[in-house]
Amino acid sequence: MQEGKLKYKRLQIGHIWLRTVIEIVLIIAAIVVCSYLTVRSYENTFYEATKDSARESTQQLSHSVSGAVDPELLEITDPKREAYVKDYYSELFNACFTDGSILNSCAVYRVSGSDAVFFASCDGYDLSDIDEKKLADITSAVTTGQQMSCSYDDAYYTYTPVFKDGQTSPCALLIVSSQYMNSFDYNSLVMERLKTIAIFSGLMIIVYYSISGAVSAYKKRKAVSVG
């Protein structure tokens, strides 16, 4: 019996709270690593799926929205009326383009000769994202008067010229972009749920091992006092 007590005491000797903290950290780290690998695998699959549909998406959206662009409205030069038209198109585009698995945006440019000047856009359209390559493609679409679809990094752009009746040169250019998501860095229901699960799991692990550590510490003190 004495030998059993001594063996029990030897098993309980150690820095219980340090061991508890290490166990918590290692288990949470293991969960984080496994979750990260799972999410990254899903992201890669998701990335390929959205990439395949982005080009078709921009073309369909461009075809649908181009009918709402009225060439006569774009010719208005009165400052007050022009501001009203710009607000009208901004609200219209915002109503047409919502966040989703593919992030869409849209803008309309007023064309004069071979020059395309920004007129209005939805809130998601980023003018600073228009680099030299995109400017060259905009000019090409205006010059040729043909719809163009181009790929840039993680997005597709479709340039659709808009014509007045009886004219062969475009008076406006509609630009629609579809950016396919390659990660969950964007706001999404999936990411919010993952965060909730991670926080809940972490709290449960901390509570469980804290209680386990407290019980072990109590038993250790009791065993020492009995010995």
Side-chain angles (χ1 to χ4, degrees):
M1 185 69 178
Q2 183 66 24
E3 182 182 352
K5 286 184 178 180
L6 291 174
K7 184 178 180 182
Y8 177 77
K9 287 170 63 177
R10 285 199 298 270
L11 288 173
Q12 294 301 314
I13 292 174
H15 300 285
I16 293 177
W17 288 111
L18 177 60
R19 184 180 65 203
T20 299
V21 171
I22 293 175
E23 288 175 342
I24 291 174
V25 171
L26 289 178
I27 291 177
I28 291 179
I31 293 174
V32 169
V33 171
C34 291
S35 299
Y36 174 79
L37 293 176
T38 301
V39 169
R40 288 304 300 172
S41 176
Y42 181 76
E43 283 182 341
N44 291 334
T45 303
F46 186 77
Y47 172 81
E48 293 300 326
T50 55
K51 180 180 178 180
D52 292 340
S53 62
R55 181 186 294 274
E56 181 181 353
S57 174
T58 59
Q59 292 174 343
Q60 291 178 346
L61 289 170
S62 183
H63 175 73
S64 300
V65 178
S66 61
V69 179
D70 187 346
E72 294 184 359
L73 291 179
L74 296 177
E75 292 179 348
I76 293 175
T77 56
D78 178 74
K80 291 185 178 179
R81 296 183 63 195
E82 184 182 56
Y84 173 81
V85 173
K86 288 182 178 181
D87 291 339
Y88 164 76
Y89 275 116
S90 294
E91 292 177 3
L92 175 65
F93 294 153
N94 282 328
C96 293
F97 295 88
T98 57
D99 291 339
S101 60
I102 298 179
L103 306 180
N104 301 309
S105 64
C106 177
V108 61
Y109 283 65
R110 188 158 47 189
V111 174
S112 177
S114 60
D115 297 327
V117 180
F118 174 78
F119 187 77
S121 70
C122 66
D123 293 340
Y125 186 80
D126 187 4
L127 266 177
S128 63
D129 193 43
I130 304 299
D131 54 21
E132 293 183 1
K133 190 175 188 308
K134 292 173 185 174
L135 285 174
D137 290 332
I138 289 174
T139 302
S140 179
V142 171
T143 303
T144 61
Q146 300 292 324
Q147 185 185 75
M148 294 176 51
S149 291
C150 304
S151 174
Y152 313 96
D153 297 328
D154 292 337
Y156 281 108
Y157 279 67
T158 295
Y159 307 101
T160 304
V162 178
F163 301 87
K164 287 186 67 175
D165 292 339
Q167 290 189 352
T168 57
S169 298
C171 63
L173 183 69
L174 181 71
I175 300 178
V176 175
S177 68
S178 294
Q179 182 176 7
Y180 39 92
M181 296 168 59
N182 57 9
S183 76
F184 290 141
D185 292 338
Y186 303 93
N187 292 329
S188 69
L189 182 61
V190 175
M191 177 57 76
E192 291 304 316
R193 286 181 176 175
L194 285 173
K195 289 179 180 178
T196 301
I197 293 171
I199 293 172
F200 178 78
S201 299
L203 289 175
M204 290 300 98
I205 291 171
I206 292 172
V207 169
Y208 172 79
Y209 277 94
S210 295
I211 294 175
S212 177
V215 171
S216 297
Y218 172 76
K219 289 182 177 180
K220 176 184 176 181
R221 288 197 300 270
K222 186 176 180 181
V224 171
S225 62
V226 171

